[in-house]
Amino acid sequence: MADLFGIGLTGLRASQTQLAVTGQNITNVNTPGYSRQSALQATQVPSYTGAGYIGNGTKVVDVSRIYNQFLTNQVRTSTSTNSEVQAFQSQLEQLNTLVSSSATGITPGLQSYFDALQTAIEDPANLPARQLVLSEAEGLASRFNTVHSSLNSQNQFISQQMTTLADQTSRLATSIAQYNDSIAIASANGAQPNDLLDARDEAVRQLSELIGISVVQQDDNTLNIFVGSGQPLVVGKEASTLAVRSGSADPGRVEVVLKSGNSVQDITSLVSGGELGGLLKYRNDVLDPALNAIGRLALSISSEFNSQQGQGLDLNGNAGAALFNDVNSPELVDGRSYARATNSDPDAKLSVRISDTSQLSTSEYDVVFTSSTQFTVRRTSDDSVVGPFDLTSVPPPELDGFTIELGGGGIAAGDRFLLTPTRFAAAGMEVVMDQPQELAFAAPAVVDTNLDNRGTGTMSQPTLIDGPAPIDPATLQGLLPIELGYDAASGELQVSSGTATLNPSPLVITPGQTNSVEVTVGAYTFSMSLTGTPKDGDSFSLNFNTGVADNRNALVMSELQSAKVLGQANGAEGFSFVDGYGDLFQRVATFTAQARTDAESSQAVLVQATNNRDSVSAVNLDEEAANLIKFEQYYNASAQVIQVARTIFDTLISSIR
């Protein structure tokens, strides 16, 4: 009877444990990261009798969690990838809307500006038409300001979000280290602390949402976690701290550092995966190039129109004033150079001045001094290094459309500077002209045909192809007029009055064909063409332009709409303003389309990995409900065994009486 009673008691205890485990599973069906548990039973050591071995019941030997390490790793990896792609796409969608919108995009502003210019060309003396050109120029500058402001806001958001993510990463790392400690202590008792293991795995999964990690399991059931290229974030029960600080090379860009004891390591370039990796990828691959591309376009528009303004005359007969602010204004120059905080003189600066906007790239540059005057320049976009250059050379060193000079302070060997020639140009673009009559629509010179000419020769109106910028009307007026006469005996066009040089000289004319004529008067060179058949003694006069209805310089301005004035570095053909912005738009659109595809695929992979993990480890309520009934019956049956043992025992006692 005693044996039967003991067997029943072990059944009661085992069924009670099974019911408790089943209840635990049901209760935690919605607990993130929970792995269902199962109580494992084994028979008690049997007792030997003369009739053989008789069992002594059962016992619960372990409560294990149903867990697959491979599937858990898949969930963690796909979570990190999906978070990175989602963060990247989120920022891209904002940028794509910004550059493609008719309200904020640059292309509609350019089109409106050139449309207004074309209207003014039809009646160059019309002040309302000129005022419209100024208004559209202001609207165009405002669009550049808006785009830069939006991009800068994105940069600020990324900096703030990186700070938040670094704090969250540090808290999770500390939590995982504490779990490691608790798990190591609990595992020393010989059993697995299932709930602690689940909680730690969920913390690791949450950490993978923030940053890409590598996880290494240790013999004592602890996890070591590494970021970047192997930098330790969690080692046993010790956790490092992730933090954000202003960039040492670029104060406008925050960088991620790993703090471990007294050691601080910059890991910005090593971070990948997770939301933090997605933000850094967007900043490096999209945001910075977009800022530089918009800035380069703003510089080119300002420079080209200001330069062409200086080649013409306004309604007052003066040389054209600047339409946009100077591309080398003190404010713009001041924002193109950053000194490293570790430099010998923290006040030292480099002066970066734009010399040729057609040669500008969208890259930034790292300047390293090997002595107080010698330096090399690394283009960050392709890591190509040029130099050495001498800071004291005259003219100053020039590359990619800008020059480099000392802007102040002292420099020593080892000093480094970051150059950003185009980053802030769009923010500083503005219209500085306020009077419509100052628009220089007229060309500075005009050709008049002698009324006594007998031939059919016709000379086109002159185009200024070389000269001071801006022109000096008083000087030019003193150099003109120049009279050009045709000598039939020699077949040459000659300077018959005034001081000028023809190119080529002598200039032989082929009657009946189009002949190119270049005339240099002082520092000014004009280009014309002579057609028809001139007679001996026919002459043409090059005069200073005093007409107010002339639109030839405005026509040259309108041609800038399709002129290839950007991207001519290294002998490239170049492209126009619209194509320059279109290239940015297309690049952003391509990135966005790819990001959408990546987001869909990474989400599908994550769902599949989660389903695979859940198919093994998640709680199935139908299965647990069936187990609940089964173990309840098990409990009742074990109780019945005890009842039978008691009845037999009572019968035995009664028979003895």
Tab-separated table of all heavy atoms in Angstrom, residues 18 28 36 38 45 84 89 128 168 182 185 241 290 347 374 382 405 413 519 540 558 576 588 595 605 611 613 648:
chain	number	residue	atom	x	y	z
A	18	GLN	N	3.231	20.020	-14.276
A	18	GLN	CA	2.814	20.151	-15.671
A	18	GLN	C	1.715	21.205	-15.810
A	18	GLN	O	1.718	22.003	-16.757
A	18	GLN	CB	2.298	18.805	-16.201
A	18	GLN	CG	3.358	17.725	-16.349
A	18	GLN	CD	4.212	17.916	-17.589
A	18	GLN	OE1	4.170	18.974	-18.216
A	18	GLN	NE2	5.014	16.915	-17.927
A	28	ASN	N	1.696	33.785	-20.533
A	28	ASN	CA	2.702	34.578	-21.252
A	28	ASN	C	2.546	34.507	-22.765
A	28	ASN	O	3.501	34.767	-23.497
A	28	ASN	CB	4.110	34.110	-20.865
A	28	ASN	CG	4.495	34.541	-19.467
A	28	ASN	OD1	4.858	35.687	-19.247
A	28	ASN	ND2	4.396	33.605	-18.526
A	36	ARG	N	7.878	29.052	-25.191
A	36	ARG	CA	7.052	28.137	-24.404
A	36	ARG	C	7.928	27.101	-23.707
A	36	ARG	O	8.993	26.725	-24.203
A	36	ARG	CB	6.000	27.457	-25.274
A	36	ARG	CG	6.536	26.541	-26.348
A	36	ARG	CD	5.416	26.098	-27.274
A	36	ARG	NE	5.911	25.257	-28.340
A	36	ARG	CZ	5.943	23.923	-28.288
A	36	ARG	NH1	5.514	23.286	-27.208
A	36	ARG	NH2	6.410	23.223	-29.309
A	38	SER	N	8.356	23.387	-21.366
A	38	SER	CA	7.859	22.013	-21.272
A	38	SER	C	8.548	21.319	-20.106
A	38	SER	O	9.773	21.409	-19.952
A	38	SER	CB	8.138	21.258	-22.575
A	38	SER	OG	7.756	19.901	-22.469
A	45	VAL	N	13.736	5.706	-9.634
A	45	VAL	CA	14.534	4.470	-9.594
A	45	VAL	C	13.665	3.356	-8.999
A	45	VAL	O	13.103	3.505	-7.899
A	45	VAL	CB	15.793	4.660	-8.743
A	45	VAL	CG1	16.569	3.350	-8.649
A	45	VAL	CG2	16.657	5.764	-9.344
A	84	GLU	N	17.257	49.117	-40.332
A	84	GLU	CA	18.151	49.976	-41.107
A	84	GLU	C	17.463	50.487	-42.368
A	84	GLU	O	17.490	51.686	-42.672
A	84	GLU	CB	19.422	49.211	-41.483
A	84	GLU	CG	20.401	50.028	-42.315
A	84	GLU	CD	21.626	49.232	-42.719
A	84	GLU	OE1	21.522	47.991	-42.812
A	84	GLU	OE2	22.681	49.838	-42.950
A	89	GLN	N	14.696	54.560	-45.607
A	89	GLN	CA	13.588	54.907	-46.488
A	89	GLN	C	12.788	56.083	-45.943
A	89	GLN	O	12.353	56.960	-46.704
A	89	GLN	CB	12.664	53.700	-46.675
A	89	GLN	CG	11.518	53.978	-47.639
A	89	GLN	CD	10.370	53.013	-47.496
A	89	GLN	OE1	10.371	52.166	-46.611
A	89	GLN	NE2	9.378	53.132	-48.355
A	128	PRO	N	7.882	96.958	-65.963
A	128	PRO	CA	7.145	95.861	-65.299
A	128	PRO	C	7.690	94.489	-65.667
A	128	PRO	O	7.756	93.596	-64.820
A	128	PRO	CB	5.707	96.062	-65.795
A	128	PRO	CG	5.614	97.517	-66.086
A	128	PRO	CD	6.967	97.888	-66.648
A	168	GLN	N	19.457	54.809	-25.792
A	168	GLN	CA	18.699	53.559	-25.699
A	168	GLN	C	19.621	52.353	-25.810
A	168	GLN	O	19.443	51.348	-25.101
A	168	GLN	CB	17.641	53.518	-26.800
A	168	GLN	CG	16.533	54.546	-26.635
A	168	GLN	CD	15.567	54.539	-27.804
A	168	GLN	OE1	15.807	53.908	-28.837
A	168	GLN	NE2	14.463	55.257	-27.659
A	182	SER	N	22.907	37.681	-13.706
A	182	SER	CA	21.869	36.881	-13.048
A	182	SER	C	21.815	35.469	-13.610
A	182	SER	O	21.646	34.492	-12.864
A	182	SER	CB	20.504	37.560	-13.216
A	182	SER	OG	20.499	38.844	-12.635
A	185	ILE	N	24.754	33.314	-12.375
A	185	ILE	CA	24.547	32.868	-10.988
A	185	ILE	C	23.513	31.763	-10.937
A	185	ILE	O	23.691	30.732	-10.267
A	185	ILE	CB	24.122	34.063	-10.108
A	185	ILE	CG1	25.270	35.067	-9.999
A	185	ILE	CG2	23.702	33.583	-8.723
A	185	ILE	CD1	24.885	36.353	-9.301
A	241	THR	N	29.465	52.106	-23.030
A	241	THR	CA	28.447	53.125	-23.273
A	241	THR	C	28.601	53.689	-24.669
A	241	THR	O	29.706	53.998	-25.108
A	241	THR	CB	28.567	54.268	-22.246
A	241	THR	OG1	28.429	53.730	-20.934
A	241	THR	CG2	27.498	55.321	-22.471
A	290	ALA	N	23.441	65.605	-51.469
A	290	ALA	CA	22.327	66.467	-51.888
A	290	ALA	C	22.595	67.916	-51.498
A	290	ALA	O	22.354	68.842	-52.288
A	290	ALA	CB	21.026	65.973	-51.273
A	347	ASP	N	42.455	78.935	-33.863
A	347	ASP	CA	41.883	80.064	-34.595
A	347	ASP	C	42.292	80.084	-36.066
A	347	ASP	O	41.845	80.950	-36.825
A	347	ASP	CB	42.305	81.389	-33.949
A	347	ASP	CG	41.750	81.540	-32.541
A	347	ASP	OD1	40.624	81.057	-32.299
A	347	ASP	OD2	42.449	82.128	-31.691
A	374	GLN	N	53.199	73.401	-46.622
A	374	GLN	CA	52.944	72.323	-47.571
A	374	GLN	C	51.741	71.492	-47.123
A	374	GLN	O	51.611	71.146	-45.951
A	374	GLN	CB	54.173	71.416	-47.691
A	374	GLN	CG	55.418	72.118	-48.219
A	374	GLN	CD	55.313	72.450	-49.693
A	374	GLN	OE1	54.823	71.655	-50.486
A	374	GLN	NE2	55.774	73.640	-50.063
A	382	ASP	N	35.932	60.149	-53.522
A	382	ASP	CA	36.616	59.011	-54.140
A	382	ASP	C	37.976	58.712	-53.506
A	382	ASP	O	38.718	57.859	-53.993
A	382	ASP	CB	36.797	59.249	-55.638
A	382	ASP	CG	37.580	60.534	-55.949
A	382	ASP	OD1	38.125	61.145	-54.999
A	382	ASP	OD2	37.643	60.921	-57.129
A	405	GLU	N	43.720	79.558	-49.603
A	405	GLU	CA	44.665	80.505	-49.032
A	405	GLU	C	44.543	80.461	-47.514
A	405	GLU	O	43.568	79.928	-46.962
A	405	GLU	CB	44.368	81.923	-49.529
A	405	GLU	CG	44.424	82.095	-51.033
A	405	GLU	CD	44.015	83.482	-51.467
A	405	GLU	OE1	44.843	84.408	-51.327
A	405	GLU	OE2	42.859	83.646	-51.919
A	413	ALA	N	52.824	71.538	-38.970
A	413	ALA	CA	52.747	70.189	-39.539
A	413	ALA	C	51.789	69.338	-38.711
A	413	ALA	O	51.797	69.377	-37.487
A	413	ALA	CB	54.136	69.555	-39.564
A	519	VAL	N	37.620	91.374	-83.183
A	519	VAL	CA	38.276	92.665	-83.044
A	519	VAL	C	38.635	92.871	-81.579
A	519	VAL	O	37.756	92.764	-80.710
A	519	VAL	CB	37.362	93.815	-83.518
A	519	VAL	CG1	38.094	95.151	-83.373
A	519	VAL	CG2	36.933	93.597	-84.953
A	540	PHE	N	32.375	99.388	-91.945
A	540	PHE	CA	31.460	99.098	-90.833
A	540	PHE	C	32.056	99.723	-89.585
A	540	PHE	O	33.272	99.660	-89.369
A	540	PHE	CB	31.299	97.591	-90.641
A	540	PHE	CG	30.891	96.870	-91.902
A	540	PHE	CD1	31.863	96.397	-92.795
A	540	PHE	CD2	29.560	96.689	-92.209
A	540	PHE	CE1	31.497	95.742	-93.951
A	540	PHE	CE2	29.187	96.029	-93.365
A	540	PHE	CZ	30.152	95.550	-94.249
A	558	SER	N	19.487	84.235	-71.451
A	558	SER	CA	18.458	83.207	-71.662
A	558	SER	C	19.065	81.907	-72.166
A	558	SER	O	18.531	80.823	-71.920
A	558	SER	CB	17.405	83.712	-72.646
A	558	SER	OG	17.939	83.820	-73.956
A	576	SER	N	23.690	71.309	-68.001
A	576	SER	CA	23.018	72.575	-67.727
A	576	SER	C	22.486	72.628	-66.302
A	576	SER	O	22.546	71.644	-65.549
A	576	SER	CB	21.857	72.766	-68.701
A	576	SER	OG	20.854	71.788	-68.464
A	588	VAL	N	17.957	60.767	-56.274
A	588	VAL	CA	17.083	60.593	-55.113
A	588	VAL	C	15.943	59.635	-55.445
A	588	VAL	O	15.587	58.763	-54.636
A	588	VAL	CB	16.536	61.958	-54.644
A	588	VAL	CG1	15.454	61.768	-53.577
A	588	VAL	CG2	17.658	62.814	-54.085
A	595	ALA	N	14.977	51.786	-52.080
A	595	ALA	CA	14.684	51.665	-50.653
A	595	ALA	C	13.309	51.051	-50.435
A	595	ALA	O	13.107	50.255	-49.497
A	595	ALA	CB	14.763	53.032	-49.979
A	605	VAL	N	11.248	39.142	-45.216
A	605	VAL	CA	12.226	38.247	-44.583
A	605	VAL	C	12.034	38.224	-43.068
A	605	VAL	O	12.092	37.162	-42.438
A	605	VAL	CB	13.661	38.691	-44.945
A	605	VAL	CG1	14.689	37.933	-44.118
A	605	VAL	CG2	13.930	38.483	-46.428
A	611	ASN	N	7.960	34.080	-38.121
A	611	ASN	CA	7.026	32.946	-38.178
A	611	ASN	C	7.757	31.628	-37.942
A	611	ASN	O	7.221	30.723	-37.268
A	611	ASN	CB	6.319	32.920	-39.531
A	611	ASN	CG	5.324	34.058	-39.688
A	611	ASN	OD1	4.878	34.636	-38.692
A	611	ASN	ND2	4.965	34.389	-40.916
A	613	ARG	N	10.487	31.200	-36.194
A	613	ARG	CA	10.807	31.138	-34.768
A	613	ARG	C	9.561	30.819	-33.946
A	613	ARG	O	9.583	29.974	-33.041
A	613	ARG	CB	11.426	32.463	-34.338
A	613	ARG	CG	11.917	32.502	-32.895
A	613	ARG	CD	10.902	33.140	-31.997
A	613	ARG	NE	11.339	33.159	-30.599
A	613	ARG	CZ	10.543	33.380	-29.574
A	613	ARG	NH1	9.253	33.582	-29.770
A	613	ARG	NH2	11.011	33.378	-28.346
A	648	ILE	N	-7.604	0.462	0.061
A	648	ILE	CA	-7.007	-0.864	0.325
A	648	ILE	C	-6.440	-0.915	1.736
A	648	ILE	O	-6.584	-1.916	2.464
A	648	ILE	CB	-5.911	-1.165	-0.714
A	648	ILE	CG1	-6.544	-1.316	-2.112
A	648	ILE	CG2	-5.122	-2.402	-0.339
A	648	ILE	CD1	-5.516	-1.476	-3.224
